[in-house]
Amino acid sequence: GQQLNQSPQSMFIQEGEDVSMNCTSSSIFNTWLWYKQEPGEGPVLLIALYKAGELTSNGRLTAQFGITRKDSFLNISASIPSDVGIYFCAGQLSNAGNNRKLIWGLGTSLGVNP
Amino acid sequence: GEEVAQTPKHLVRGEGQKAKLYCAPIKGHSYVFWYQQVLKNEFKFLISFQNENVFDETGMPKERFSAKCLPNSPCSLEIQATKLEDSAVYFCASSQFAGPYGYTFGSGTRLTVV
């Protein structure tokens, strides 16, 4: 099926470091969403982006909707141990009409060393 | 309530047996989605509903999978004659009608077929 290219696949950083991850596609999206999933739980929405070029923050998290509408990035600043989890990008295609089905990346697994 | 409630949390079935999963969406949310999360974190879209009507069923393996969302009842996803490859975590999500909002996910049902 159609997927987003999400990178990196995994990363392990020291507490206090900043981290960046991104998603790219050959298709145009009208919505980008960033989720975090912890073991045994469903994904939890972190940030939603609806317009090309939009830059949105949620605490230490910042995400941007790429100007070409084909990519998005998520930055986490000053990481802490509770940031550990799998981060997913997901998007709704621009040609999907009212279809709300999401296309997903395969996740970035983040580990934080205290 | 303000959460998507999925039951059961874990389900073990012998190959060939039936499995039925339930999802109670957030009150007031008109859309319900089912996703299957398999190895390597991939989220596969199965089916979506707008109220009790099927909205998009392009992801459903129709020969063995069926789903319903009836008024005043939890939504359900049923797998007849389960196969080993059906082992996965099945997530339900709901969203509001108005606006391109992201979903709210339940905690998932882990189905193990042995």
Side-chain angles (χ1 to χ4, degrees):
Chain A
Q2 195 163 13
Q3 284 175 349
L4 298 173
N5 300 312
Q6 185 170 352
S7 64
Q9 186 176 3
S10 64
M11 54 198 316
F12 199 85
I13 60 174
Q14 289 294 122
E15 184 176 1
E17 288 183 344
D18 299 344
V19 62
S20 184
M21 58 194 78
N22 69 85
C23 274
T24 60
S25 175
S26 57
S27 300
I28 294 174
F29 286 78
N30 61 12
T31 302
W32 283 94
L33 305 168
W34 283 93
Y35 285 89
K36 179 186 178 188
Q37 186 179 27
E38 298 187 17
E41 298 296 328
V44 173
L45 182 65
L46 300 173
I47 293 180
L49 302 159
Y50 303 117
K51 289 193 298 190
E54 182 180 356
L55 183 71
T56 297
S57 292
N58 178 7
R60 293 178 295 105
L61 277 59
T62 302
Q64 184 159 30
F65 193 141
I67 199 75
T68 64
R69 298 172 66 193
K70 294 182 179 181
D71 63 323
S72 176
F73 71 74
L74 174 71
N75 287 341
I76 305 173
S77 62
S79 58
I80 58 178
S82 61
D83 290 334
V84 167
I86 303 176
Y87 292 79
F88 289 93
C89 63
Q92 290 175 322
L93 289 166
S94 65
N95 62 357
N98 286 327
N99 191 330
R100 290 166 174 253
K101 177 174 70 176
L102 290 179
I103 310 298
W104 291 79
L106 292 181
T108 295
S109 178
L110 177 64
V112 178
N113 193 23
Chain B
E2 289 302 308
E3 64 172 27
V4 176
Q6 286 190 250
T7 55
K9 193 140 179 86
H10 300 279
L11 189 58
V12 180
R13 286 290 179 265
E15 204 172 2
Q17 289 185 320
K18 185 171 72 176
K20 195 163 185 178
L21 292 60
Y22 296 93
C23 167
I26 292 174
K27 237 178 185 179
H29 282 193
S30 302
Y31 289 87
V32 171
F33 304 80
W34 286 98
Y35 283 88
Q36 179 194 55
Q37 188 177 30
V38 295
L39 286 175
K40 297 190 177 181
N41 301 324
E42 183 181 2
F43 281 92
K44 291 184 178 176
F45 170 77
L46 295 175
I47 191 169
S48 60
F49 288 85
Q50 182 181 11
N51 297 311
E52 62 266 27
N53 303 308
V54 174
F55 193 66
D56 179 353
E57 56 182 346
T58 52
M60 285 285 270
K62 289 184 187 174
E63 53 282 0
R64 296 184 300 109
F65 283 59
S66 62
K68 292 179 193 174
C69 274
L70 300 175
N72 303 315
S73 297
C75 296
S76 64
L77 176 70
E78 189 167 334
I79 309 172
Q80 303 284 342
T82 52
K83 297 183 178 181
L84 295 176
E85 61 260 33
D86 297 331
S87 295
V89 182
Y90 291 82
F91 286 102
C92 172
S94 69
S95 75
Q96 292 176 309
F97 173 75
Y101 300 117
Y103 311 157
T104 300
F105 279 85
S107 296
T109 293
R110 179 175 292 278
L111 172 65
T112 303
V113 181
V114 297

